[in-house]
């Protein structure tokens, strides 16, 4: 059994409507109109096709197709339905989808198998290379959501303010090294780096010692800003190869600055699966362009944290996705003390399976927060 969507306060944070006075509210619909509207939206979300009166009448509704058509016309005039073609059925408008999501949607729960899969894959990813590797966990979480929910998984890396515990350069071959940064909070950030010719183990050790002496106990973003003025002195103090490693390492690690935060998007190919008509392909093309807007996407995800729950944006409710008509379902991942670390979500067409995706996003965000905060799942 699903649970009524408006009652799931801890799961979902309602989004204020941006549509002004045009669309009708649930309170203005009588029982017949509400039932027909719900059936139309549920059928559309399942099939992606315009829904006609005969389809609704065959669903067990004790009304004639003519009576259903009259009600559908009223719902269209109210701004909740639209007719994409003169001879086709109706599809919900973005305002209609918002009304359905806020007032009529029943949210299910994810199964035990999916819970176990999310727990296991995020725990395994975060434990790679020792410590809690937040990059591996974020990447695994977005891949998971993309695969389980459809659409594209998206996550913004957290703003990190923990101090640096240890840094080290580890040779992986004659031309590549792994730059490892361990934070006081237990997170591990790894970066693959090219090595110039002639770099020896002693060079790697020299660069590591130099950075440990200056970074330990300090937030990386703060230390890196101050150390930019020291790089000239570092070049004189270190040999050329070690100085280059120091400079490259500082540039590679994120450090928590807004400009340096990572945005991970996985599963773009899923967005093409249901794109059949030319107009659908054009919307996907526009969405692909939108997904390249890193700063705007991070800003959208950062805004999710204020709601303390799953947030949903449909079409024109967010300026970024107004042209593609896409939907975003996102939730913050937090520490045990309810400090927001970041947000994770799914982006897809407006007809996403909200009842399924909402609990998937919510559970993944909660597991991700516990793992990155060093708690047991």
């Amino acid at each position: 059994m699903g649970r009524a969507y408006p009652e799931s306060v801890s799961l979902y944070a309602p989004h204020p409507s941006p549509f002004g006075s045009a669309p009708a509210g649930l309170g203005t619909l009588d029982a017949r109109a509400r039932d027909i509207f719900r059936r139309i939206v549920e059928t559309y979300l399942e099939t992606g096709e315009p829904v006609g009166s005969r389809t609704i009448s065959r669903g067990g509704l004790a009304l004639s197709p003519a009576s259903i058509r009259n009600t559908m016309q009223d719902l269209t005039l109210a701004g909740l339905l639209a007719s994409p073609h003169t001879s086709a059925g109706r599809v919900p408008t973005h305002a209609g989808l918002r009304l359905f999501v806020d007032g009529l949607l029943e949210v299910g729960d994810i199964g035990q198998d999916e819970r176990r899969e999310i727990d296991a894959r995020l725990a395994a990813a975060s434990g790679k290379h020792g410590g809690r590797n937040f990059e591996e966990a974020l990447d695994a979480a977005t891949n998971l959501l993309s695969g389980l929910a459809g659409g594209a998984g998206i996550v913004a890396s957290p703003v990190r303010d923990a101090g640096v515990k240890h840094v080290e350069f580890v040779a992986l071959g004659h031309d590549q090294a792994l730059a490892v940064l361990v934070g006081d909070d237990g997170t591990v950030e790894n970066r693959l780096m090219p090595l110039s010719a002639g770099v020896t183990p002693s060079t790697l050790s020299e660069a590591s010692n130099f950075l440990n002496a200056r970074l330990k106990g300090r937030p990386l973003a703060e230390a890196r800003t101050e150390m930019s003025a020291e790089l000239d002195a570092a070049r004189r103090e270190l040999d050329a190869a070690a100085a280059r490693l120091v400079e490259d390492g500082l540039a590679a690690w994120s450090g928590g600055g807004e400009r340096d935060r990572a945005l991970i998007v996985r599963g773009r190919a899923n967005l093409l699966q249901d794109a059949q008509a030319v107009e659908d392909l054009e919307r996907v093309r526009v969405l692909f362009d939108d997904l390249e807007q890193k700063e705007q996407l991070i800003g959208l995800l950062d805004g999710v944290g204020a709601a303390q729950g799953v947030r949903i944006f449909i079409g024109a409710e967010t300026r970024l996705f107004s042209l593609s008509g896409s939907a975003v379902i996102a939730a913050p991942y937090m520490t045990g003390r309810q400090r927001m670390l970041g947000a994770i979500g799914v982006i897809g067409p407006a007809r996403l399976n909200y009842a399924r995706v909402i609990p998937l996003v919510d559970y993944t965000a909660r597991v991700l927060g516990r793992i990155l905060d060093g708690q047991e799942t």
Side-chain angles (χ1 to χ4, degrees):
M1 288 286 291
R3 60 180 179 271
Y5 193 58
E7 295 176 0
S8 52
V9 178
S10 64
L11 178 65
Y12 167 66
H15 188 285
S17 173
F19 296 109
S21 59
L26 278 179
T28 66
L29 304 181
D30 60 25
R32 173 193 293 186
R34 188 178 301 196
D35 188 27
I36 291 174
F37 174 68
R38 178 184 58 79
R39 291 169 183 259
I40 290 172
V41 177
E42 288 177 346
T43 303
Y44 170 74
L45 291 178
E46 181 180 349
T47 67
E49 299 293 333
V51 182
S53 57
R54 292 192 180 277
T55 300
I56 299 301
S57 65
R58 288 195 295 265
L61 193 62
L63 291 171
S64 68
S67 296
I68 295 173
R69 279 196 298 272
N70 289 336
T71 301
M72 291 171 69
Q73 180 63 23
D74 292 339
L75 293 168
T76 302
L77 292 174
L80 300 177
L81 299 179
S83 178
H85 305 290
T86 55
S87 61
R90 299 293 197 273
V91 298
T93 62
H94 289 164
L97 285 173
R98 167 56 60 190
L99 183 67
F100 173 81
V101 163
D102 285 347
L104 296 173
L105 179 67
E106 289 191 353
V107 177
D109 201 357
I110 61 176
Q112 288 300 317
D113 288 344
E114 289 175 327
R115 288 174 182 267
R116 282 192 289 267
E117 181 179 0
I118 293 169
D119 292 344
R121 288 180 60 179
L122 293 189
S126 68
K128 289 182 179 179
H129 310 301
R132 292 189 306 283
N133 191 314
F134 74 91
E135 289 182 324
E136 296 284 356
L138 295 179
D139 192 66
T142 48
N143 272 312
L144 266 170
L145 278 182
S146 174
L148 294 174
I154 183 169
V155 67
S157 64
V159 176
R160 296 175 57 209
D161 54 8
V164 174
K165 182 178 181 180
H166 180 73
V167 296
E168 187 172 359
F169 297 99
V170 180
L172 299 180
H174 68 281
D175 61 352
Q176 195 174 59
L178 185 68
V180 183
L181 182 146
V182 182
D184 286 335
D185 57 356
T187 56
V188 180
E189 186 172 348
N190 299 313
R191 288 286 190 273
L192 289 175
M193 296 174 48
L195 288 181
S196 56
V199 173
T200 65
S202 62
T203 303
L204 297 173
S205 178
E206 185 180 6
S208 300
N209 293 337
F210 180 87
L211 284 173
N212 277 311
R214 288 158 177 79
L215 298 182
K216 191 170 183 178
R218 303 170 65 190
L220 178 61
E222 168 195 317
R224 190 174 62 179
T225 299
E226 295 179 6
M227 282 188 64
S228 62
E230 300 179 24
L231 287 179
D232 287 339
R235 292 187 186 96
R236 293 191 295 269
E237 182 176 337
L238 302 169
D239 67 36
R244 177 66 182 272
L245 277 174
V246 167
E247 192 169 0
D248 289 348
L250 288 173
W253 289 312
S254 70
E258 289 296 326
R259 294 182 180 179
D260 301 313
R261 292 173 64 195
L263 179 74
I264 302 173
V265 181
R266 296 288 183 267
R268 286 180 174 88
N270 290 337
L271 302 172
L272 292 168
Q273 290 181 355
D274 295 326
Q276 299 174 349
V278 173
E279 57 266 27
D280 291 336
L281 289 172
E282 175 60 20
R283 280 194 289 270
V284 172
R285 185 195 65 78
V286 173
L287 176 55
F288 278 13
D289 290 341
D290 293 339
L291 292 176
E292 298 301 319
Q293 306 302 311
K294 174 185 172 182
E295 291 185 7
Q296 292 185 56
L297 280 169
I298 289 178
L300 176 70
L301 291 173
D302 284 349
V304 168
Q308 298 289 313
V310 178
R311 285 285 298 275
I312 299 171
F313 305 88
I314 303 173
E317 292 178 356
T318 168
R319 185 176 180 181
L320 181 60
F321 298 113
S322 59
L323 293 179
S324 65
S326 304
V328 181
I329 300 176
Y333 56 94
M334 299 183 168
T335 67
R337 298 182 178 180
Q338 296 301 296
R339 180 177 69 86
M340 179 178 172
L341 296 172
I344 186 168
V346 172
I347 297 175
R351 68 175 192 88
L352 278 170
N353 186 340
Y354 297 94
R356 171 170 166 75
V357 177
I358 288 169
L360 279 172
V361 169
D362 177 66
Y363 187 74
T364 302
R366 287 189 281 118
V367 174
L368 185 62
R370 289 198 297 267
I371 285 177
L372 298 185
D373 195 33
Q375 304 172 50
E376 293 296 327
T377 60

